[in-house]
Amino acid sequence: MFSVQVTHRVQGAVLALRGELDFDSMVQLQEAGDRELARGRDAGVVVADCARLTFCDSSGIGALLRLWQGLAAQGRPLRLVTVPASLARLFSLTGLDQVFPGYAGVEQALAVDTGEGAIEGAGLNGPAQSSERQSS
């Protein structure tokens, strides 16, 4: 079972992803993404909190990429936090870790400045051991 819980903050929106994101469930992410895109370019950053994401196949990755593309067209970033190790490894192997930089947590990912909150060594596996900021 998959669900997306959307919470709006001043800086943007947090999409809490739970369960298995696959071909059968990606429509839920697409619908939530479409609602976010409808809010327009001034709605801020979108953070996908993957802490409770238990599985993600290529369809789920495709849905994340489509959301990223739509937001990028509006000048809005999509930031992923607490990505499971298996998905982080796949992102690293495919170069998608360059598209979805790692953030230590939701609050850091919501930071207004693009470079604010990105943590060196955080990767997509979750919180970093280091507190240094990633250089741009």
Side-chain angles (χ1 to χ4, degrees), residues 3 9 11 17 22 33 35 38-39 46 48 50 54 66 79 83 86 93-94 107 113 115 119 123 133:
S3 67
R9 308 263 190 99
Q11 306 94 327
L17 310 181
D22 58 19
R35 286 189 296 273
R39 293 183 67 222
V46 175
C50 302
T54 59
R66 282 187 293 282
R79 299 176 180 159
V83 174
S86 60
L93 291 171
T94 60
E107 295 306 319
D113 287 338
I119 305 296
R133 290 195 179 148

Side-chain angles (χ1 to χ4, degrees), residues 14-123:
V14 177
L15 309 180
L17 310 181
R18 291 184 173 87
E20 297 183 0
L21 178 56
D22 58 19
F23 180 78
D24 294 327
S25 62
M26 71 177 187
V27 68
Q28 293 175 53
L29 177 59
Q30 289 174 327
E31 290 170 351
D34 288 347
R35 286 189 296 273
E36 258 327 291
L37 289 167
R39 293 183 67 222
R41 71 175 56 252
D42 295 328
V45 66
V46 175
V47 174
D49 182 356
C50 302
R52 295 194 174 145
L53 187 64
T54 59
F55 175 81
C56 183
D57 70 4
S58 60
S59 299
I61 292 171
L64 287 168
L65 282 169
R66 282 187 293 282
L67 177 56
W68 172 78
Q69 287 174 326
L71 291 167
Q74 293 182 346
R76 298 170 64 192
L78 173 62
R79 299 176 180 159
L80 276 58
V81 297
T82 321
V83 174
S86 60
L87 186 56
R89 184 172 188 277
L90 181 59
F91 281 176
S92 178
L93 291 171
T94 60
L96 288 174
D97 57 343
Q98 300 302 307
V99 174
F100 302 119
Y103 288 83
V106 171
E107 295 306 319
Q108 292 81 10
L110 281 171
V112 176
D113 287 338
T114 301
E116 188 72 20
I119 305 296
E120 183 177 342

